[in-house]
Amino acid sequence: MISIENLRFQYPRSEFRLAINDLCIETGAKIAVVGPSGSGKTTLLNLIAGISVPDSGQVIIDGETVSRLAAAARRNSRICNIGMVFQQFELVEYLNTADNIRLPFLINKTLLPKSGKSDIGRLTDCVGLVDKLKRFPNQLSQGEQQRVAICRAMVANPKIILADEPTGNLDPKNKSRILELLFEQCARHDRTLVVVTHDVNILGGFDRIVDFEQFREEGNGHDGLV
Ligand code: ADP
Ligand code: MG
């Protein structure tokens, strides 16, 4: 379970303020996060992932207060527990598709399944990347890069998948295939899925929608987000 309590966050020298008093995401839940551009959706994912830390309040994942861990421990916790699809993909430019997807195992060998056999074949087949495994990111379209990022987030079967507008660059067929893949992995392994999206057509598949509008009323009695 992801639990956020009394969180306050501000970037240095920025007017933007995020205030979340109480947000609970149950294990196995599929959550869509919606809200206007600039309202803090990416910031929220970074706080859950421990990439950013709150100024006050806490982010608790399965009983562990990740926001209180030192940087190295937070990074380690993220590598072991979280698969992240970044809004800008963040692929490693000098690694080909196969190695980009394999990156979690290159960083931490213990994430490899005991059988030693990873899911890369099945995932790349499912998202239509099998003939692109040797290509580098700059030889891929935006939509292909996005699919590589999605495979990388799923390959180690993490407890939590955080996906930042993961269908933004995909055609309708790839979009539904990828959502099915994400939903199926979560259902099969009781994994938690948090997806930031602007796409109202896909909201029906989620258990719950977290709308950033609601945080406007929280915080210090008036605007949580400025
Ligand atoms: P969203 O993902 O909902 O579009 P973000 O979480 O990316 O919004 O950003 C929320 C606000 O914080 C925006 O006003 C943005 O300009 C600001 N912001 C984002 N990243 C930084 C940063 N590294 N430094 C300062 N301000 C930032
Ligand atoms: Mg964003």
Side-chain angles (χ1 to χ4, degrees), residues 126-173:
C126 199
V127 305
L129 282 175
V130 264
D131 56 344
K132 309 261 159 55
L133 293 178
K134 294 257 152 54
R135 294 222 198 155
F136 292 89
N138 66 2
Q139 301 167 319
L140 297 170
S141 73
Q142 292 281 302
E144 287 163 349
Q145 290 181 47
Q146 188 153 44
R147 284 179 272 153
V148 175
I150 289 162
C151 290
R152 181 179 63 185
M154 297 180 72
V155 77
N157 192 16
K159 284 203 280 192
I160 300 169
I161 295 179
L162 305 174
D164 205 346
E165 306 192 23
T167 59
N169 294 278
L170 304 180
D171 55 80
K173 193 167 136 234

Coordinates of all heavy atoms in Angstrom, one line a residue, residues 126-173:
C126 N 4.6 -8.7 -27.4 CA 3.3 -8.1 -27.1 C 3.2 -6.7 -27.6 O 2.1 -6.3 -28.0 CB 3.1 -8.2 -25.6 SG 1.4 -8.1 -25.2
V127 N 4.3 -5.9 -27.5 CA 4.2 -4.5 -27.9 C 4.7 -4.3 -29.3 O 4.9 -3.1 -29.7 CB 4.9 -3.6 -26.8 CG1 4.4 -3.8 -25.4 CG2 6.4 -3.8 -26.9
G128 N 5.1 -5.3 -30.0 CA 5.5 -5.2 -31.4 C 6.9 -4.6 -31.5 O 7.2 -3.8 -32.4
L129 N 7.9 -5.0 -30.7 CA 9.2 -4.5 -30.8 C 10.3 -5.6 -31.1 O 11.5 -5.3 -31.1 CB 9.6 -3.9 -29.4 CG 9.1 -2.5 -29.1 CD1 9.5 -2.1 -27.7 CD2 9.6 -1.4 -30.1
V130 N 9.8 -6.8 -31.4 CA 10.8 -7.9 -31.6 C 11.8 -7.6 -32.7 O 13.0 -8.1 -32.6 CB 10.2 -9.3 -31.8 CG1 10.0 -10.1 -30.6 CG2 8.8 -9.2 -32.5
D131 N 11.4 -6.9 -33.7 CA 12.3 -6.6 -34.8 C 13.1 -5.3 -34.6 O 13.8 -4.9 -35.4 CB 11.6 -6.6 -36.2 CG 10.5 -5.5 -36.1 OD1 10.1 -5.1 -35.0 OD2 10.0 -5.1 -37.2
K132 N 13.0 -4.8 -33.4 CA 13.8 -3.5 -33.1 C 14.7 -3.7 -31.9 O 15.2 -2.7 -31.3 CB 12.7 -2.4 -32.7 CG 11.6 -2.3 -33.7 CD 11.8 -1.1 -34.7 CE 11.1 -1.2 -36.0 NZ 9.6 -1.3 -35.9
L133 N 15.0 -4.9 -31.5 CA 15.8 -5.2 -30.3 C 17.2 -4.6 -30.4 O 17.8 -4.3 -29.4 CB 15.8 -6.7 -30.0 CG 14.5 -7.3 -29.5 CD1 14.6 -8.8 -29.3 CD2 13.9 -6.6 -28.3
K134 N 17.8 -4.5 -31.6 CA 19.2 -4.1 -31.8 C 19.3 -2.6 -32.0 O 20.4 -2.1 -32.2 CB 19.8 -4.9 -32.9 CG 19.9 -6.4 -32.7 CD 21.4 -6.7 -32.3 CE 21.6 -7.9 -31.5 NZ 20.9 -9.1 -31.9
R135 N 18.2 -1.9 -32.1 CA 18.2 -0.5 -32.4 C 18.5 0.3 -31.2 O 18.1 0.0 -30.1 CB 16.9 -0.1 -33.0 CG 16.6 -0.7 -34.4 CD 16.0 0.3 -35.3 NE 15.4 -0.3 -36.4 CZ 14.4 0.2 -37.1 NH1 13.9 1.4 -36.7 NH2 13.9 -0.4 -38.1
F136 N 19.1 1.5 -31.4 CA 19.3 2.4 -30.4 C 18.2 3.4 -30.3 O 17.5 3.6 -31.3 CB 20.7 3.1 -30.6 CG 21.8 2.2 -30.4 CD1 22.3 1.4 -31.5 CD2 22.4 2.0 -29.1 CE1 23.3 0.5 -31.3 CE2 23.4 1.1 -28.9 CZ 23.9 0.3 -30.0
P137 N 18.0 4.1 -29.2 CA 16.8 5.0 -29.0 C 16.7 6.0 -30.2 O 15.6 6.3 -30.6 CB 17.1 5.7 -27.7 CG 17.8 4.7 -26.9 CD 18.7 4.0 -27.9
N138 N 17.8 6.6 -30.7 CA 17.7 7.6 -31.7 C 17.3 7.0 -33.1 O 17.2 7.7 -34.1 CB 19.0 8.4 -31.8 CG 20.2 7.6 -32.3 OD1 20.1 6.4 -32.6 ND2 21.3 8.3 -32.4
Q139 N 17.2 5.6 -33.1 CA 16.7 5.0 -34.4 C 15.3 4.5 -34.2 O 14.8 3.7 -35.0 CB 17.7 3.8 -34.7 CG 19.1 4.2 -34.9 CD 20.0 3.0 -34.9 OE1 19.9 2.0 -34.1 NE2 21.0 3.0 -35.7
L140 N 14.7 5.0 -33.2 CA 13.3 4.6 -32.9 C 12.3 5.8 -32.9 O 12.7 6.9 -32.6 CB 13.2 3.9 -31.5 CG 14.0 2.6 -31.2 CD1 13.9 2.3 -29.7 CD2 13.4 1.5 -32.0
S141 N 11.1 5.5 -33.3 CA 10.1 6.6 -33.3 C 9.7 6.9 -31.8 O 10.1 6.1 -30.9 CB 8.9 6.2 -34.1 OG 8.1 5.2 -33.3
Q142 N 9.1 8.0 -31.6 CA 8.6 8.3 -30.2 C 7.8 7.2 -29.6 O 7.9 6.8 -28.5 CB 7.8 9.6 -30.3 CG 8.6 10.9 -30.6 CD 9.4 11.4 -29.4 OE1 8.8 11.7 -28.4 NE2 10.7 11.5 -29.6
G143 N 6.8 6.7 -30.4 CA 6.0 5.6 -30.0 C 6.7 4.4 -29.6 O 6.4 3.7 -28.7
E144 N 7.8 4.1 -30.4 CA 8.6 2.9 -30.2 C 9.4 3.1 -28.9 O 9.5 2.2 -28.0 CB 9.5 2.6 -31.4 CG 8.7 2.0 -32.5 CD 9.5 2.1 -33.9 OE1 10.6 2.8 -33.9 OE2 9.0 1.5 -34.8
Q145 N 9.9 4.3 -28.7 CA 10.7 4.6 -27.5 C 9.8 4.4 -26.3 O 10.2 3.9 -25.2 CB 11.3 6.0 -27.5 CG 12.4 6.2 -28.5 CD 12.9 7.6 -28.5 OE1 13.2 8.2 -27.5 NE2 13.1 8.2 -29.7
Q146 N 8.5 4.9 -26.4 CA 7.6 4.8 -25.3 C 7.3 3.3 -25.0 O 7.3 3.0 -23.8 CB 6.3 5.5 -25.7 CG 5.3 5.6 -24.5 CD 4.4 6.8 -24.6 OE1 3.9 7.1 -25.7 NE2 4.2 7.6 -23.6
R147 N 7.2 2.5 -26.0 CA 7.0 1.1 -25.7 C 8.2 0.4 -25.1 O 8.1 -0.5 -24.2 CB 6.6 0.4 -27.0 CG 5.1 0.7 -27.4 CD 4.7 0.0 -28.7 NE 5.1 0.9 -29.8 CZ 5.3 0.4 -31.0 NH1 5.3 -0.9 -31.3 NH2 5.6 1.2 -32.0
V148 N 9.4 0.9 -25.4 CA 10.6 0.4 -24.8 C 10.6 0.7 -23.3 O 10.8 -0.1 -22.4 CB 11.9 0.9 -25.4 CG1 13.2 0.5 -24.6 CG2 12.1 0.5 -26.9
A149 N 10.2 2.0 -23.0 CA 10.1 2.5 -21.6 C 9.1 1.6 -20.8 O 9.3 1.3 -19.6 CB 9.8 3.9 -21.6
I150 N 8.0 1.3 -21.5 CA 7.0 0.5 -20.8 C 7.5 -0.9 -20.5 O 7.3 -1.4 -19.4 CB 5.7 0.5 -21.6 CG1 5.1 1.9 -21.6 CG2 4.7 -0.5 -21.1 CD1 4.0 2.2 -22.6
C151 N 8.1 -1.5 -21.5 CA 8.7 -2.9 -21.2 C 9.7 -2.8 -20.1 O 9.8 -3.7 -19.2 CB 9.4 -3.4 -22.5 SG 8.2 -3.8 -23.8
R152 N 10.6 -1.8 -20.1 CA 11.6 -1.7 -19.0 C 10.9 -1.6 -17.6 O 11.4 -2.1 -16.7 CB 12.5 -0.5 -19.3 CG 13.6 -0.3 -18.3 CD 14.5 0.9 -18.6 NE 13.7 2.2 -18.5 CZ 14.3 3.4 -18.8 NH1 15.5 3.4 -19.2 NH2 13.5 4.4 -18.7
A153 N 9.8 -0.8 -17.6 CA 9.2 -0.7 -16.3 C 8.5 -2.0 -15.8 O 8.3 -2.2 -14.6 CB 8.1 0.4 -16.4
M154 N 8.2 -2.8 -16.7 CA 7.5 -4.1 -16.4 C 8.4 -5.3 -16.2 O 8.0 -6.2 -15.5 CB 6.4 -4.4 -17.5 CG 5.4 -3.4 -17.6 SD 4.2 -3.8 -18.9 CE 3.3 -5.1 -18.1
V155 N 9.6 -5.2 -16.8 CA 10.4 -6.5 -16.9 C 10.7 -7.2 -15.6 O 10.8 -8.4 -15.6 CB 11.6 -6.2 -17.8 CG1 12.7 -5.5 -17.0 CG2 12.1 -7.5 -18.5
A156 N 11.0 -6.4 -14.6 CA 11.3 -7.0 -13.3 C 10.1 -7.3 -12.4 O 10.2 -7.6 -11.3 CB 12.4 -6.1 -12.6
N157 N 8.9 -7.1 -13.0 CA 7.7 -7.4 -12.3 C 7.6 -6.7 -10.9 O 7.4 -7.3 -9.9 CB 7.5 -8.9 -12.1 CG 6.1 -9.2 -11.7 OD1 5.1 -8.4 -11.8 ND2 5.8 -10.4 -11.2
P158 N 7.8 -5.3 -11.0 CA 7.9 -4.6 -9.7 C 6.6 -4.5 -9.0 O 5.5 -4.7 -9.6 CB 8.3 -3.2 -10.1 CG 7.8 -3.1 -11.5 CD 7.9 -4.4 -12.1
K159 N 6.6 -4.3 -7.7 CA 5.4 -4.2 -6.9 C 4.5 -3.0 -7.3 O 3.3 -3.1 -7.2 CB 5.8 -3.9 -5.4 CG 6.3 -5.1 -4.7 CD 6.1 -4.9 -3.2 CE 7.2 -4.1 -2.5 NZ 7.2 -4.1 -1.1
I160 N 5.2 -1.9 -7.8 CA 4.4 -0.7 -8.2 C 4.9 -0.3 -9.5 O 6.1 -0.2 -9.8 CB 4.7 0.4 -7.1 CG1 4.2 0.0 -5.8 CG2 4.0 1.7 -7.6 CD1 4.6 0.9 -4.6
I161 N 4.0 0.0 -10.4 CA 4.3 0.6 -11.7 C 3.8 2.0 -11.7 O 2.6 2.2 -11.5 CB 3.8 -0.2 -12.9 CG1 4.5 -1.6 -12.9 CG2 4.0 0.6 -14.2 CD1 4.0 -2.5 -14.1
L162 N 4.7 3.0 -11.9 CA 4.3 4.4 -12.1 C 4.5 4.8 -13.5 O 5.6 4.8 -14.0 CB 5.1 5.3 -11.1 CG 5.2 4.9 -9.7 CD1 6.2 5.7 -8.9 CD2 3.8 5.0 -9.0
A163 N 3.4 5.2 -14.2 CA 3.5 5.5 -15.6 C 3.0 6.9 -15.9 O 1.9 7.2 -15.6 CB 2.8 4.4 -16.4
D164 N 3.9 7.7 -16.5 CA 3.6 9.1 -16.7 C 3.1 9.3 -18.2 O 4.0 9.3 -19.1 CB 4.8 10.0 -16.4 CG 4.4 11.4 -16.0 OD1 3.3 11.8 -16.2 OD2 5.3 12.1 -15.5
E165 N 1.9 9.4 -18.4 CA 1.3 9.5 -19.7 C 1.9 8.5 -20.7 O 2.4 8.9 -21.7 CB 1.5 11.0 -20.2 CG 1.0 12.0 -19.2 CD 0.9 13.4 -19.7 OE1 0.8 13.6 -21.0 OE2 0.8 14.3 -18.9
P166 N 1.7 7.2 -20.3 CA 2.4 6.2 -21.1 C 1.8 5.9 -22.4 O 2.4 5.1 -23.2 CB 2.3 4.9 -20.2 CG 1.0 5.2 -19.4 CD 0.9 6.6 -19.2
T167 N 0.6 6.4 -22.7 CA 0.0 6.1 -24.0 C 0.0 7.4 -24.9 O -0.6 7.4 -26.0 CB -1.4 5.6 -23.8 OG1 -2.2 6.5 -23.1 CG2 -1.4 4.3 -23.1
G168 N 0.7 8.4 -24.5 CA 0.6 9.7 -25.1 C 1.1 9.7 -26.6 O 0.7 10.5 -27.4
N169 N 2.0 8.8 -26.9 CA 2.6 8.8 -28.3 C 2.1 7.6 -29.1 O 2.7 7.2 -30.1 CB 4.1 8.8 -28.2 CG 4.6 10.1 -27.6 OD1 4.7 11.1 -28.3 ND2 4.9 10.1 -26.3
L170 N 1.1 6.9 -28.6 CA 0.7 5.6 -29.2 C -0.5 5.7 -30.1 O -1.5 6.4 -29.8 CB 0.6 4.5 -28.2 CG 1.8 4.3 -27.2 CD1 1.4 3.2 -26.2 CD2 3.0 3.9 -28.0
D171 N -0.6 4.9 -31.2 CA -1.8 4.8 -32.0 C -2.8 4.0 -31.2 O -2.4 3.3 -30.3 CB -1.4 4.2 -33.3 CG -0.8 2.9 -33.2 OD1 -1.5 1.9 -32.9 OD2 0.5 2.8 -33.2
P172 N -4.1 4.0 -31.6 CA -5.1 3.4 -30.8 C -4.9 1.9 -30.6 O -5.1 1.4 -29.5 CB -6.4 3.6 -31.7 CG -6.1 4.8 -32.5 CD -4.6 4.9 -32.7
K173 N -4.3 1.2 -31.6 CA -4.1 -0.2 -31.4 C -3.0 -0.5 -30.4 O -3.2 -1.3 -29.5 CB -3.7 -0.8 -32.8 CG -3.8 -2.4 -32.8 CD -3.7 -2.9 -34.3 CE -2.7 -4.1 -34.3 NZ -1.7 -3.9 -35.3

